[in-house]
Amino acid sequence: MGSGILPLTLGIETSCDETSVALVEGGRKVLANVIHSQVDLHKEFGGVVPELASRDHLERLPHLLDLAFEVAGAGPDDIGLIAVTRGPGLAGCLLVGVGVAEGLAASWSRPITGVNHLWGHIYAAMLARPDLEPPLLGLVVSGAHSDLVRMPGHGRFEVIGRTRDDAAGEAFDKAARMLGLGYPGGPALDRLARTGDARRQPLPKPSLPGLEFSFSGLKTALLYRLRDLGPEAGEQEKADLAAAFERSVVESLVEKLDEALSRAPVSEVVVAGGVAANTLLRLRAAEVVAGRARLTMPPLELCTDNAAMIAAAGFFTSPPRGEVGSRLRLPGGEVHSSITVEPSLGWD
Ligand code: KG4
Ligand code: ZN
């Protein structure tokens, strides 16, 4: 061990439009979490272009690896486990991360584990709160998911609520596009909503029975309201609409969180995923959970996609060392584990 630290987990995340490499000690302590966002690359297309995304991941990874080791003051000898996102995500993007991770595992003779990206979002909370342990209730809100899950123990998840149509992040992104805010929409809509007043342009709050979400009706309501306002819609009206849209999405999310907590009380609640960066959601989730459970919402850089959360999830959920993945003998005699990429992986 070169620098006298515990064996580290090397995390690699390339599922969508962030390339990230992290070094995490003991599943809890982030020594490095370097993230390259491809926002500038995809901006002119108004969304993520998969082919450009995977090529960029491949070009950036070597430098990000060097940078992560430099930031952590560590080297390959310090690595005890390699954790890489195997799904869900864009197939070509996932393949780049898994291919690079497998190459490193083979050349360094280290165990490797494929990580479920959704689990990663929950494990981001473990990095933010060192004493946090399951059982917990989680709300994962990202660009592709709005899921309520129960986590009875490490690596065990039960989905108790999901969206019938759009995910919360997808809804924010589409609303932002309608309001002329471009890509990425969520953070821009958040900023605009801070200058608006939801009461001036009220929009309906989606209401489905049980723990299901639906955001497509709300999206249509925004579309019609913008059409009625016509080209006259001024900056203030747009800001009011952004605030109203945000309020409807957030109230729907916290209403179901509230219901899930009432149905089966639990002492730890986690709200995570890219949308957990939203200002109003952070405020309202804290209000709804207050006095009933402890709420953990990771800091912003751990809410959006990053490799530290993948390293943490890999550390806590990988099989015992030596049994990780399926083993292959390469010509040089190195041990290599093969990971299956699953673009539409669910919570299992
Ligand atoms: O978890 P994430 O980084 O990537 C996925 O796994 O999907 O989530 C990205 C999503 C995008 O839809 C983005 O617009 C949304 O999170 N998002 C936000 C905010 N920051 C990111 N939505 C609302 N308010 C924000 N501040
Ligand atoms: Zn994500």
Side-chain angles (χ1 to χ4, degrees):
M1 223 46 53
S3 43
I5 41 183
L6 285 173
L8 307 180
T9 302
L10 170 70
I12 296 181
E13 155 65 34
T14 62
S15 66
C16 188
D17 58 348
E18 261 100 26
T19 321
S20 180
V21 177
L23 289 162
V24 173
E25 187 181 335
R28 298 275 189 182
K29 189 173 170 198
V30 182
L31 301 189
N33 187 24
V34 294
I35 304 166
H36 172 78
S37 162
Q38 298 180 351
V39 163
D40 290 340
L41 179 66
H42 302 295
K43 208 186 260 167
E44 63 175 298
F45 305 101
V48 180
V49 183
E51 288 76 12
L52 294 182
S54 47
R55 196 188 322 163
D56 202 58
H57 286 308
L58 189 57
E59 280 169 12
R60 305 264 174 195
L61 269 177
H63 173 63
L64 292 178
L65 275 159
D66 288 345
L67 198 58
F69 279 119
E70 194 184 314
V71 171
D77 284 352
D78 301 309
I79 304 300
L81 175 70
I82 298 174
V84 59
T85 306
R86 71 182 181 101
L90 298 167
C93 294
L94 293 165
L95 279 168
V96 169
V98 167
V100 168
E102 288 195 321
L104 295 175
S107 66
W108 298 340
S109 293
R110 290 295 189 281
I112 179 170
T113 186
V115 173
N116 184 324
H117 180 90
L118 298 171
W119 295 14
H121 277 302
I122 292 279
Y123 276 94
M126 312 267 170
L127 294 167
R129 179 103 65 189
D131 65 342
L132 176 62
E133 286 287 339
L136 60 81
L137 169 67
L139 171 65
V140 172
V141 271
S142 71
H145 291 83
S146 301
D147 295 333
L148 270 165
V149 293
R150 292 200 178 283
M151 179 187 185
H154 284 290
R156 288 161 55 212
F157 295 89
E158 180 201 347
V159 182
I160 55 170
R162 54 162 55 96
T163 180
R164 273 196 191 174
D165 38 62
D166 292 349
E170 192 181 357
F172 274 129
D173 291 338
K174 287 177 180 167
R177 199 171 309 153
M178 286 184 225
L179 291 164
L181 301 177
Y183 157 92
L189 190 139
D190 187 341
R191 278 191 300 277
L192 183 62
R194 305 281 70 75
T195 67
D197 183 343
R199 290 166 302 185
R200 281 200 289 256
Q201 291 285 349
L203 290 170
K205 186 185 76 175
S207 69
L208 284 184
L211 297 175
E212 276 192 312
F213 301 107
S214 168
F215 299 113
S216 71
L218 175 62
K219 202 177 56 189
T220 310
L222 174 65
L223 185 72
Y224 287 163
R225 186 70 59 79
L226 278 168
R227 201 185 57 185
D228 292 346
L229 288 169
E232 310 295 277
E235 285 316 304
Q236 191 56 53
E237 277 152 328
K238 285 187 182 165
D240 294 341
L241 277 170
F245 190 89
E246 181 193 57
R247 184 167 78 172
S248 292
V249 171
V250 168
E251 288 309 319
S252 164
L253 292 172
V254 297
E255 180 187 85
K256 305 297 176 180
L257 181 65
D258 186 357
E259 191 172 334
L261 195 52
S262 300
R263 282 188 191 185
V266 58
S267 59
E268 300 281 6
V269 174
V270 168
V271 178
V275 179
N278 180 265
T279 311
L280 185 64
L281 178 58
R282 294 182 86 85
L283 211 79
R284 291 287 296 126
E287 285 172 1
V288 163
V289 175
R292 302 159 77 192
R294 184 170 73 160
L295 172 68
T296 306
M297 298 187 81
L300 302 197
E301 70 277 12
L302 291 175
C303 279
T304 45
D305 291 348
N306 67 89
M309 68 183 197
I310 301 304
F315 178 87
F316 283 108
T317 64
S318 69
R321 303 294 146 83
E323 293 173 24
V324 182
S326 57
R327 298 194 154 210
L328 288 177
R329 285 254 163 236
L330 293 178
E334 299 98 329
V335 175
H336 167 89
S337 311
S338 65
I339 305 284
T340 314
V341 159
E342 290 191 45
S344 48
L345 187 63
W347 278 91
D348 31 56

